[in-house]
Short mmCIF file of all heavy atoms in Angstrom, two decimals:
data_model
loop_
_atom_site.label_atom_id
_atom_site.label_comp_id
_atom_site.label_asym_id
_atom_site.label_seq_id
_atom_site.Cartn_x
_atom_site.Cartn_y
_atom_site.Cartn_z
N ILE K 308 30.07 7.92 -4.80
CA ILE K 308 31.27 7.19 -4.43
C ILE K 308 31.28 5.83 -5.13
O ILE K 308 30.25 5.32 -5.56
CB ILE K 308 31.37 6.98 -2.90
CG1 ILE K 308 30.21 6.14 -2.39
CG2 ILE K 308 31.46 8.30 -2.17
CD1 ILE K 308 30.35 5.75 -0.94
N ASP K 321 49.11 2.96 14.56
CA ASP K 321 50.52 2.56 14.64
C ASP K 321 50.69 1.14 15.17
O ASP K 321 51.76 0.55 15.02
CB ASP K 321 51.30 3.53 15.53
CG ASP K 321 51.36 4.94 14.93
OD1 ASP K 321 51.22 5.05 13.70
OD2 ASP K 321 51.54 5.91 15.70
N PHE K 322 49.63 0.62 15.81
CA PHE K 322 49.72 -0.73 16.40
C PHE K 322 48.92 -1.76 15.60
O PHE K 322 48.68 -2.86 16.09
CB PHE K 322 49.22 -0.69 17.85
CG PHE K 322 49.98 0.24 18.74
CD1 PHE K 322 49.53 1.55 18.95
CD2 PHE K 322 51.16 -0.15 19.35
CE1 PHE K 322 50.23 2.41 19.77
CE2 PHE K 322 51.86 0.71 20.18
CZ PHE K 322 51.40 2.00 20.38
N LEU K 331 44.04 -12.81 14.19
CA LEU K 331 44.38 -14.04 13.49
C LEU K 331 44.13 -15.26 14.38
O LEU K 331 43.58 -16.28 13.92
CB LEU K 331 45.85 -14.01 13.06
CG LEU K 331 46.37 -15.30 12.40
CD1 LEU K 331 45.62 -15.57 11.10
CD2 LEU K 331 47.88 -15.21 12.15
N LEU K 335 41.55 -18.26 13.55
CA LEU K 335 41.96 -19.67 13.48
C LEU K 335 41.16 -20.52 14.46
O LEU K 335 40.75 -21.64 14.13
CB LEU K 335 43.46 -19.79 13.76
CG LEU K 335 44.39 -19.19 12.71
CD1 LEU K 335 45.84 -19.32 13.15
CD2 LEU K 335 44.18 -19.86 11.35
N HIS K 351 30.27 -39.41 12.91
CA HIS K 351 29.82 -40.33 13.95
C HIS K 351 28.29 -40.46 13.89
O HIS K 351 27.56 -39.50 14.16
CB HIS K 351 30.27 -39.86 15.33
CG HIS K 351 31.76 -39.86 15.50
ND1 HIS K 351 32.50 -41.02 15.56
CD2 HIS K 351 32.65 -38.84 15.61
CE1 HIS K 351 33.78 -40.72 15.71
NE2 HIS K 351 33.90 -39.40 15.73
N ILE K 360 22.50 -32.11 15.24
CA ILE K 360 22.28 -31.55 13.90
C ILE K 360 22.11 -30.04 13.98
O ILE K 360 22.69 -29.28 13.18
CB ILE K 360 21.05 -32.21 13.24
CG1 ILE K 360 21.32 -33.68 12.97
CG2 ILE K 360 20.69 -31.48 11.94
CD1 ILE K 360 20.12 -34.45 12.46
N SER K 388 45.01 -2.44 3.69
CA SER K 388 44.06 -2.55 2.59
C SER K 388 42.65 -2.28 3.09
O SER K 388 41.82 -3.20 3.20
CB SER K 388 44.15 -3.96 1.97
OG SER K 388 43.19 -4.13 0.97
N LYS K 390 40.29 -0.39 1.66
CA LYS K 390 39.31 -0.07 0.64
C LYS K 390 38.44 -1.27 0.31
O LYS K 390 38.90 -2.40 0.26
CB LYS K 390 40.01 0.41 -0.64
CG LYS K 390 40.93 1.61 -0.45
CD LYS K 390 40.14 2.86 -0.08
CE LYS K 390 41.07 4.07 0.02
NZ LYS K 390 40.33 5.30 0.38
N SER K 407 23.55 -13.40 10.59
CA SER K 407 23.14 -13.05 11.95
C SER K 407 21.71 -13.51 12.21
O SER K 407 21.38 -14.01 13.29
CB SER K 407 23.26 -11.55 12.18
OG SER K 407 24.60 -11.12 12.05
N ILE K 434 8.71 -36.32 17.25
CA ILE K 434 8.42 -34.91 16.91
C ILE K 434 9.51 -34.34 16.02
O ILE K 434 9.25 -33.77 14.96
CB ILE K 434 8.26 -34.06 18.19
CG1 ILE K 434 7.02 -34.49 18.97
CG2 ILE K 434 8.17 -32.58 17.83
CD1 ILE K 434 6.85 -33.78 20.30
N ALA K 452 16.51 -14.85 4.17
CA ALA K 452 16.70 -14.25 2.85
C ALA K 452 15.61 -13.22 2.55
O ALA K 452 15.89 -12.13 2.05
CB ALA K 452 16.72 -15.34 1.79
N HIS K 472 33.95 7.05 4.48
CA HIS K 472 34.74 6.49 5.59
C HIS K 472 33.81 5.80 6.60
O HIS K 472 32.91 6.41 7.15
CB HIS K 472 35.53 7.59 6.28
CG HIS K 472 36.43 7.06 7.36
ND1 HIS K 472 37.64 6.46 7.10
CD2 HIS K 472 36.28 7.02 8.71
CE1 HIS K 472 38.20 6.08 8.24
NE2 HIS K 472 37.39 6.41 9.23
N THR K 474 33.50 3.62 10.20
CA THR K 474 34.25 3.46 11.45
C THR K 474 34.39 2.00 11.87
O THR K 474 35.18 1.67 12.73
CB THR K 474 33.56 4.24 12.59
OG1 THR K 474 32.20 3.81 12.71
CG2 THR K 474 33.57 5.74 12.30
N LYS K 485 23.57 6.13 7.61
CA LYS K 485 23.84 7.44 8.20
C LYS K 485 24.75 8.30 7.32
O LYS K 485 24.84 9.52 7.51
CB LYS K 485 24.47 7.28 9.58
CG LYS K 485 23.52 6.67 10.61
CD LYS K 485 24.20 6.50 11.95
CE LYS K 485 23.26 5.87 12.97
NZ LYS K 485 23.92 5.66 14.27
N ALA K 487 24.38 8.57 4.04
CA ALA K 487 23.65 8.98 2.84
C ALA K 487 23.18 10.42 2.94
O ALA K 487 22.75 10.89 3.99
CB ALA K 487 22.46 8.05 2.61
N LEU K 503 12.64 -5.94 15.56
CA LEU K 503 11.48 -6.41 16.31
C LEU K 503 10.98 -7.76 15.80
O LEU K 503 10.65 -8.65 16.60
CB LEU K 503 10.36 -5.38 16.24
CG LEU K 503 10.64 -4.02 16.91
CD1 LEU K 503 9.48 -3.07 16.68
CD2 LEU K 503 10.90 -4.20 18.39
N ILE K 515 10.12 -18.12 26.12
CA ILE K 515 8.96 -18.99 26.39
C ILE K 515 9.41 -20.44 26.55
O ILE K 515 8.93 -21.15 27.45
CB ILE K 515 7.93 -18.86 25.25
CG1 ILE K 515 7.30 -17.46 25.26
CG2 ILE K 515 6.85 -19.93 25.39
CD1 ILE K 515 6.38 -17.20 24.09
N ASP K 530 13.46 -39.14 34.50
CA ASP K 530 14.87 -39.49 34.30
C ASP K 530 15.38 -39.00 32.94
O ASP K 530 16.51 -38.51 32.82
CB ASP K 530 15.07 -41.01 34.41
CG ASP K 530 14.82 -41.51 35.82
OD1 ASP K 530 14.95 -40.70 36.76
OD2 ASP K 530 14.50 -42.71 35.98
N CYS K 539 21.37 -27.74 28.70
CA CYS K 539 20.85 -26.38 28.52
C CYS K 539 21.91 -25.32 28.80
O CYS K 539 21.82 -24.19 28.28
CB CYS K 539 19.64 -26.13 29.44
SG CYS K 539 18.18 -27.09 28.99
N TYR K 553 24.64 -7.99 20.49
CA TYR K 553 23.69 -7.46 19.51
C TYR K 553 22.88 -6.31 20.10
O TYR K 553 22.70 -5.26 19.47
CB TYR K 553 22.75 -8.56 19.03
CG TYR K 553 21.66 -8.03 18.12
CD1 TYR K 553 21.93 -7.79 16.78
CD2 TYR K 553 20.39 -7.73 18.62
CE1 TYR K 553 20.95 -7.27 15.95
CE2 TYR K 553 19.41 -7.21 17.79
CZ TYR K 553 19.69 -6.99 16.47
OH TYR K 553 18.72 -6.46 15.65
N VAL K 567 32.01 7.91 25.59
CA VAL K 567 32.78 6.80 24.99
C VAL K 567 32.44 6.78 23.50
O VAL K 567 31.62 5.98 23.04
CB VAL K 567 32.43 5.45 25.65
CG1 VAL K 567 33.39 4.36 25.17
CG2 VAL K 567 32.47 5.55 27.17
N LEU K 570 32.50 3.40 21.46
CA LEU K 570 31.81 2.26 22.05
C LEU K 570 31.14 1.39 20.99
O LEU K 570 31.11 0.16 21.10
CB LEU K 570 30.78 2.75 23.06
CG LEU K 570 30.01 1.66 23.86
CD1 LEU K 570 30.98 0.81 24.67
CD2 LEU K 570 28.97 2.31 24.76
N ILE K 572 32.15 0.77 18.04
CA ILE K 572 33.16 -0.05 17.36
C ILE K 572 33.48 -1.28 18.20
O ILE K 572 33.58 -2.40 17.68
CB ILE K 572 34.43 0.77 17.10
CG1 ILE K 572 34.10 1.99 16.22
CG2 ILE K 572 35.50 -0.09 16.43
CD1 ILE K 572 35.26 2.92 16.01
N PRO K 583 31.37 -16.75 16.90
CA PRO K 583 32.12 -17.76 16.14
C PRO K 583 33.31 -18.32 16.88
O PRO K 583 33.70 -19.47 16.64
CB PRO K 583 32.57 -16.98 14.88
CG PRO K 583 31.63 -15.85 14.76
CD PRO K 583 31.29 -15.46 16.16
N LEU K 588 34.11 -23.52 21.51
CA LEU K 588 34.80 -23.84 22.76
C LEU K 588 33.80 -24.29 23.82
O LEU K 588 34.04 -25.25 24.56
CB LEU K 588 35.58 -22.60 23.25
CG LEU K 588 36.69 -22.09 22.33
CD1 LEU K 588 37.34 -20.84 22.93
CD2 LEU K 588 37.74 -23.16 22.09
N TYR K 590 30.70 -25.59 23.38
CA TYR K 590 30.10 -26.89 23.07
C TYR K 590 31.13 -28.01 23.07
O TYR K 590 30.81 -29.16 23.36
CB TYR K 590 29.37 -26.83 21.73
CG TYR K 590 28.02 -26.16 21.83
CD1 TYR K 590 27.85 -24.82 21.48
CD2 TYR K 590 26.93 -26.85 22.31
CE1 TYR K 590 26.62 -24.21 21.59
CE2 TYR K 590 25.68 -26.24 22.42
CZ TYR K 590 25.54 -24.93 22.06
OH TYR K 590 24.31 -24.31 22.19
N THR K 618 59.41 -45.92 15.67
CA THR K 618 59.86 -46.72 14.53
C THR K 618 61.00 -46.05 13.78
O THR K 618 61.83 -46.73 13.18
CB THR K 618 58.70 -46.95 13.56
OG1 THR K 618 58.12 -45.68 13.19
CG2 THR K 618 57.64 -47.83 14.21
#
Side-chain angles (χ1 to χ4, degrees):
I308 62 172
D321 295 336
F322 301 95
L331 176 63
L335 292 177
H351 295 291
I360 294 174
S388 176
K390 303 294 184 180
S407 298
I434 294 175
H472 184 79
T474 56
K485 293 179 181 178
L503 295 176
I515 292 174
D530 292 337
C539 292
Y553 174 81
V567 189
L570 184 60
I572 300 175
L588 298 178
Y590 281 99
T618 54

